[in-house]
Amino acid sequence: MMSDTQWPRFQVFVQEQLDAPHQDAGSVHAPDSEMALLNARDVFARRPKCVSMWVVPTEAIYSKTAEEILNQPPIGTEQSASSVLEPAPSEKYHVFCKFKHAGTQIQVGSAEASGPAQALEKAFEKYSSHHKPLVWWVFPARMVTQSDPSEIGSLYEPAQDKMFRMHTQFHTLTAMRDIEQSKGRK
Amino acid sequence: MKTALREYLLALADDELILGHRASEWCGHAPILEEDIAFANLALDEIGHASLWYSVLAEIEEQDPAVYPDRLAYFREPQDFRNIQMVELPKGDWAFTIMRQYLFDAYEQVRLEALSQSGYEILAQVAMKIRQEEFYHYRHSSAWVRRLGAGTQESQRRMQIALDELWAYTGQLFQPIAGESELIQAGYVIASENLKDKWQDKVYPTLIESSLVIPATPQLHMNRQTHTHHLEVLLSEMQSVARLEAEANW
């Protein structure tokens, strides 16, 4: 059987300023989490503001839409069989929600749970009242690889004084045309 | 003093410019999309650093800092460049590219650390600024060296070949730059040869940890006036557009 030669996918979360929540920026492929963090810096923080970055293996993210939750409440679903046999120790899960169809997943808080289904259940109790999220993501905090705050200066700050220029700011096309024309005259 | 500063700044800038150009040759060709983006960024960083050093020179020589960097990059002949030979070698395979980048990034860490304590204010300032970004370059290239060196048999083999090919050229990193002694006396720089121990302290453990063997080949000692024919080829391409019309506003 042909195996998938792609590297694993990591979800990338960016924090734009210290008191802001982390937000989903997109994903990168990388052989491991350290490389994922480095790749993510180049793909997602070359220009935009960034003070902290997380990468999480995409497969570690447990995701449910509001619709799925309505149709099939998370209480004691997928996880139940295994957790009965072998109760996992309780740990911290990060909770992210998407509130608009065109929006991104935004960090809303965390929950202590012994499995992703339970984490989602607790998150739902805690956070569903105020904003009516459309999509829920939960993942164990231990799956996060995050940028080292002492490295902000080398990873993200240099981007701040780099100018972003649209292609229209370069005169290449007109310059080339002028050169052609002056050659034609000669 | 001005001549010594010119030689020193051109050495710093030309290394960055030529290596940056070599890195840019991977644009659209790097092994994966993420790395393509990362390496193109890195190429731009290096060329930006070259531009910073050329601007310092513009100030010293009372030239227009908006124009002078381009004059230096695009309108000098190969014999006027002061880069080391290592950076002008063709890009080779990915292993060669990563190994060269790593060996050079480690050297820059050491050189810039020393320069950021320069008694010449502007040198210290620019070195500190560039160093910030170079921390990331070093992390990036050393992460690749460790993974390719200790990766598969094939990646290890290629990395060793790259290291063997590049080793002799690393000697030039620590050769005195023309006029350097004058700058040392003024407290502006430290002797290039004094950077070597620190570089080895960085590079040896990483290479060994990456299952690579430090080559026994002697390191070559050439001054920065001598170049391989590769530089001429590189410049004829790099400078071709600017030279189409020297006064054009791109």
Side-chain angles (χ1 to χ4, degrees), chain A residues 163-182:
Chain A
M163 209 198 310
F164 176 76
R165 276 186 286 215
M166 297 293 288
H167 65 282
T168 48
Q169 283 177 273
F170 296 92
H171 310 291
T172 316
L173 214 61
T174 44
M176 288 299 283
R177 224 175 269 147
D178 291 347
I179 292 167
E180 291 290 311
Q181 276 174 3
S182 72

Side-chain angles (χ1 to χ4, degrees), chain B residues 12-31:
Chain B
L12 293 172
D14 290 349
D15 280 351
E16 298 262 31
L17 178 71
I18 302 303
L19 186 62
H21 184 80
R22 284 296 186 213
S24 78
E25 292 175 339
W26 281 99
C27 187
H29 303 277

Side-chain angles (χ1 to χ4, degrees), chain A residues 7 27-32 34-35 37-39 41-43 46-47 148 151 153-155 157-159 161-162 169-172 174-176 179 182-183 186, chain B residues 31-35 37-45 48-49 129 131-137 139-144 146-147 241 244-245 248-250:
Chain A
W7 283 332
S27 64
V28 292
H29 287 97
D32 52 59
E34 192 203 346
M35 288 302 268
L37 202 54
L38 293 178
N39 287 342
R41 180 260 192 193
D42 281 304
V43 177
R46 174 77 175 173
R47 287 293 182 279
D148 180 344
E151 287 186 326
S154 67
L155 286 179
E157 272 172 11
D161 48 62
K162 285 186 207 295
Q169 283 177 273
F170 296 92
H171 310 291
T172 316
T174 44
M176 288 299 283
I179 292 167
S182 72
K183 286 225 172 93
K186 270 173 206 167
Chain B
I32 56 156
L33 178 63
E34 286 84 344
E35 190 55 33
I37 296 170
F39 224 68
N41 280 342
L42 185 140
L44 286 172
D45 290 346
H49 298 165
K129 185 179 162 75
R131 204 174 155 220
Q132 283 281 64
E133 210 155 44
E134 287 293 343
F135 278 129
Y136 166 72
H137 288 189
R139 251 191 87 175
H140 179 256
S141 58
S142 59
W144 267 102
R146 286 197 306 273
R147 280 161 185 80
V241 177
L244 273 178
E245 192 76 27
N249 174 18
W250 299 104

Side-chain angles (χ1 to χ4, degrees), chain A residues 92-168:
Chain A
K92 181 180 171 181
Y93 280 76
H94 289 295
V95 181
F96 280 70
C97 288
K98 188 160 105 169
F99 299 99
K100 290 181 203 151
H101 283 290
T104 60
Q105 296 287 139
I106 299 169
Q107 184 181 22
V108 295
S110 62
E112 286 286 324
S114 56
Q118 194 190 30
L120 186 61
E121 182 188 330
K122 288 193 169 181
F124 191 81
E125 279 166 23
K126 241 167 132 176
Y127 302 113
S128 67
S129 54
H130 20 282
H131 284 299
K132 299 268 172 266
L134 299 172
V135 185
W136 295 80
W137 282 4
V138 294
F139 50 86
R142 72 183 148 84
M143 301 305 286
V144 175
T145 304
Q146 64 183 99
S147 55
D148 180 344
S150 70
E151 287 186 326
I152 292 175
S154 67
L155 286 179
Y156 311 123
E157 272 172 11
Q160 297 312 309
D161 48 62
K162 285 186 207 295
M163 209 198 310
F164 176 76
R165 276 186 286 215
M166 297 293 288
H167 65 282
T168 48

Side-chain angles (χ1 to χ4, degrees), chain B residues 179-191:
Chain B
E180 187 180 279
S181 55
E182 206 181 326
L183 303 178
I184 298 170
Q185 265 185 339
Y188 290 180
V189 305
I190 68 165

Side-chain angles (χ1 to χ4, degrees), chain A residues 11-25:
Chain A
Q11 210 63 33
V12 180
F13 299 95
V14 169
Q15 186 185 30
E16 290 181 359
Q17 46 197 9
L18 281 175
D19 50 359
H22 282 75
Q23 291 195 34
D24 177 34

